[in-house]
Amino acid sequence: MMFGLLRRAKPVPLAPLLDLHWDGRELRLACTPGALVEVALELDGCHFTSLVPDAQGVARCTFAFAPSGTDTLELLPRAGRDGAALAAGPLRLEFGKAGLVAVSAGWRRSPLAPLAASRLVPFGRDVAAREVAVVVPVHDAPALVERCLAALRGHVDAATRVIVIDDASRDPAIAPLLERAAGFARVLRNEVNRGFTATANRGIAEADRADVVLLNADTEVGPNWLAGLRRAAYAADDVASATAVSDNAGAFSVPELERYNALPDGWTTEHAARAAWHDAGLAYPELPTGNGFCMYLRRDVLDAVGVLDEAAFPQGYGEENDWSQRAAQRGLRHVVAGNVFVRHARSASFGDERRATLGRAGMAVLRERWPRYEDDVARTLYSYERRVLDWRVRRIHADARTEAAPLRRLLWVGAGAPAWRDAEVWNLRANRARNELLHAGKVVAASAWIAHDPEPSYRALWDWLQLHAIEALLVTEARDSVAEILCGLLGVPRLRIAAPFGESAAAALRTAEWLPPARLPSDSR
């Protein structure tokens, strides 16, 4: 009986796949030579990558780290994406362990978990202290501008400056719309149309010493967008820019490149943004350029390489690529903040035909100035980190068919955590000689507590705040505890809520007091 079960558990390849082998890190597939143009790998029911067999019919895929953040995955090879299955059924692979077995009945996929390759802000770096100015060039398209500004109003704090510049719009609806925005934004106007690039440069100058986010007026931001960009930009000293991902932003579209990607049924931008924040991962793929639809520029890099070239790219379409290449010449990198989702209409001011014309003109300049640029794009566009990001978003979308929309993720320290159904309340508690992070009553992470050497425990909490995408810290009174100080450095807001807590997070947060960031006692700011 036991040997019969083992036989049934063996993987059964289907022609033209002859054999497949997993050594714990690399998958090797042997096919009938010439029979397949490509072999697609499906992980947990979602497309991961496509492989081209060599002349001998062999295709290989090396996994630098587990895409799901867990040790096991469900694998199904196919004859091209969405093609016929090349195995009798899904197979289970385990990272670090050789061999494949057939998935047994009742086996359940694990939820997405933090990636082993996550790039975190170095311990103690005060990213929240960086002043940021969001620059929004505007030209017509009032409905989209109104949507953009409404989202900004709801998702920036009082410390963030918003600079809106009207580039001589002709639509009469723009002026009254921007008048209403003057309550939370600084509104400027070009007397004549100067073009996108000159308008963006004006905003960069108006920002003075602040870091800058270039944000198109046809975008819609969601929760945690600015915190995510800022952390990505300061995760390493050699990062020049960080760009969000989108449903419709060319190479920054997820999960499918260069396409419009519909959101799951019933989802809003807020749902998509929160899902990416929770589960897209922090691997931060790299590209040789950012994208000005939503691009964070560090001020020290602006000082080093200058502003955008408005003479060569007056209407945009190439100006951020050129700036990025100038930064890359100095050994600096441009990262994709995959956990920051921003919706994008695209071509609202120009239309598709005009955008294509401008794109061709801009590319001609880029080819002349940076002859290796397109090769660098091709080399990085399908990096392992990028394939992992796209796959995780596909899984997020697939899971949305059967799971509830994502909720706010809030942290409570100690006993007596609120029990709300409209938020995820995570609990940080001391349990004898260790600190534990709990969600839904289960220990998600733990670290040893050593009274005479607490720093390792503080470092663990610092990592947990990032890896588990905590959105806010709940307190009933300000204590300037270690948890409050670390949250303050990372830009995690602390909210004072009144007890008794009430029946919902929504009610508690409506009346919550936003407290200033906690600082170390020696911090004189």
Side-chain angles (χ1 to χ4, degrees):
M1 179 67 175
M2 181 178 293
F3 289 107
L5 288 173
L6 288 174
R7 280 196 297 272
R8 286 197 295 272
K10 287 183 178 180
V12 180
L14 301 178
L17 181 64
L18 304 175
D19 185 38
L20 64 168
H21 175 74
W22 170 250
D23 67 3
R25 183 169 178 267
E26 182 183 77
L27 182 68
R28 180 184 182 276
L29 304 100
C31 314
T32 302
L36 292 173
V37 175
E38 67 176 24
V39 177
L41 300 184
E42 203 172 83
L43 303 179
D44 285 355
C46 297
H47 176 72
F48 178 67
T49 192
S50 294
L51 310 172
V52 178
D54 62 20
Q56 287 72 45
V58 175
R60 290 180 171 86
C61 182
T62 300
F63 289 76
F65 53 87
S68 63
T70 61
D71 290 337
T72 58
L73 279 171
E74 179 186 296
L75 164 71
L76 184 65
R78 291 187 177 275
R81 185 167 181 178
D82 301 322
L86 295 175
L91 310 170
R92 182 165 58 86
L93 62 80
E94 185 172 346
F95 287 88
K97 183 178 180 180
L100 296 165
V101 295
V103 170
S104 58
W107 187 76
R108 298 186 64 181
R109 300 166 183 163
S110 300
L112 292 171
L115 293 168
S118 296
R119 300 181 181 181
L120 305 182
V121 176
F123 177 67
R125 176 168 288 181
D126 192 354
V127 295
R130 295 300 315 170
E131 186 182 8
V132 181
V134 181
V135 174
V136 186
V138 169
H139 183 72
D140 293 334
L144 291 172
V145 172
E146 185 171 27
R147 185 186 74 170
C148 174
L149 296 181
L152 269 177
R153 190 190 295 268
H155 296 294
V156 295
D157 58 27
T160 302
R161 286 191 284 153
V162 178
I163 302 171
V164 179
I165 307 176
D166 177 18
D167 191 21
S169 293
R170 294 165 295 181
D171 193 312
I174 289 291
L177 191 161
L178 296 187
E179 285 179 13
R180 294 193 296 272
F184 85 102
R186 184 181 181 197
V187 178
L188 306 173
R189 178 176 170 80
N190 294 338
E191 293 304 318
V192 296
N193 183 271
R194 297 181 59 191
F196 177 87
T197 309
T199 303
N201 279 343
R202 182 182 179 187
I204 292 171
E206 294 285 345
D208 194 23
R209 300 306 306 155
D211 290 349
V212 171
V213 177
L214 297 178
L215 185 69
N216 279 9
D218 57 357
T219 58
E220 183 182 10
V221 301
N224 310 299
W225 76 283
L226 188 53
L229 287 177
R230 187 159 48 189
R231 289 185 200 172
Y234 285 95
D237 292 335
D238 63 345
V239 174
S241 74
T243 299
V245 296
S246 180
D247 58 333
N248 189 22
F252 295 82
S253 298
V254 291
E256 310 304 332
L257 294 165
E258 300 292 349
R259 296 186 194 175
Y260 166 71
N261 294 269
L263 300 185
D265 290 344
W267 272 27
T268 64
T269 299
E270 185 157 327
H271 292 138
R274 186 160 277 123
W277 179 251
H278 288 178
D279 287 325
L282 302 175
Y284 298 150
E286 295 177 24
L287 284 173
T289 183
N291 186 313
F293 91 96
C294 182
M295 182 178 179
Y296 190 110
L297 312 178
R298 285 174 46 158
R299 176 56 63 176
D300 55 346
V301 181
L302 285 165
D303 290 342
V305 306
V307 295
L308 308 173
D309 187 342
E310 58 193 72
F313 307 94
Q315 296 297 337
Y317 296 94
E319 81 291 349
E320 75 269 59
N321 314 69
D322 176 73
W323 183 89
S324 298
Q325 288 292 282
R326 284 186 273 142
Q329 269 194 325
R330 295 172 175 264
L332 302 175
R333 299 181 294 118
H334 307 283
V335 300
V336 182
N339 63 326
V340 178
F341 175 86
V342 174
R343 210 163 189 176
H344 187 211
R346 209 174 188 190
S347 304
S349 295
F350 295 114
D352 289 337
E353 185 176 345
R354 176 67 169 150
R355 178 173 66 85
T357 300
L358 291 170
R360 286 191 293 270
M363 183 54 69
V365 177
L366 290 172
R367 286 179 179 137
E368 181 178 354
R369 288 186 176 181
W370 312 104
R372 294 179 51 191
Y373 171 71
E374 288 175 290
D375 289 341
D376 289 342
V377 171
R379 178 177 53 81
T380 56
L381 193 57
Y382 295 99
S383 67
Y384 184 79
E385 290 80 5
R386 180 56 191 264
R387 282 180 285 167
V388 168
L389 167 61
D390 291 336
W391 176 79
R392 287 175 75 98
V393 176
R394 291 186 194 107
R395 261 219 51 183
I396 289 169
H397 287 191
D399 292 346
R401 301 187 194 112
T402 56
E403 297 180 4
L407 302 174
R408 293 183 182 94
R409 194 168 283 181
L410 310 172
L411 181 65
W412 179 269
V413 179
W420 293 323
R421 294 185 177 182
D422 60 339
E424 291 185 18
V425 180
W426 291 50
N427 187 204
L428 178 66
R429 72 179 186 187
N431 185 6
R432 297 181 181 177
R434 69 177 195 169
N435 289 331
E436 297 175 339
L437 182 67
L438 291 86
H439 173 233
K442 296 181 180 179
V443 176
V444 175
S447 68
W449 169 255
I450 304 171
H452 67 272
D453 184 19
E455 184 174 317
S457 185
Y458 298 162
R459 287 180 176 271
L461 175 56
W462 177 265
D463 291 351
W464 296 346
L465 291 169
Q466 298 176 72
L467 291 171
H468 298 289
I470 300 300
E471 292 188 44
L473 173 66
L474 302 177
V475 299
T476 54
E477 59 179 299
R479 300 178 183 274
D480 289 354
S481 65
V482 169
E484 290 170 80
I485 291 169
L486 296 182
C487 284
L489 296 175
L490 284 171
V492 177
R494 58 174 176 167
L495 308 179
R496 178 157 52 198
I497 59 174
F501 303 131
E503 296 183 356
S504 72
L509 296 179
R510 273 196 299 270
T511 58
E513 178 186 0
W514 288 66
L515 299 174
R519 297 294 181 188
L520 293 168
S522 60
D523 195 334
S524 60
R525 283 171 295 185

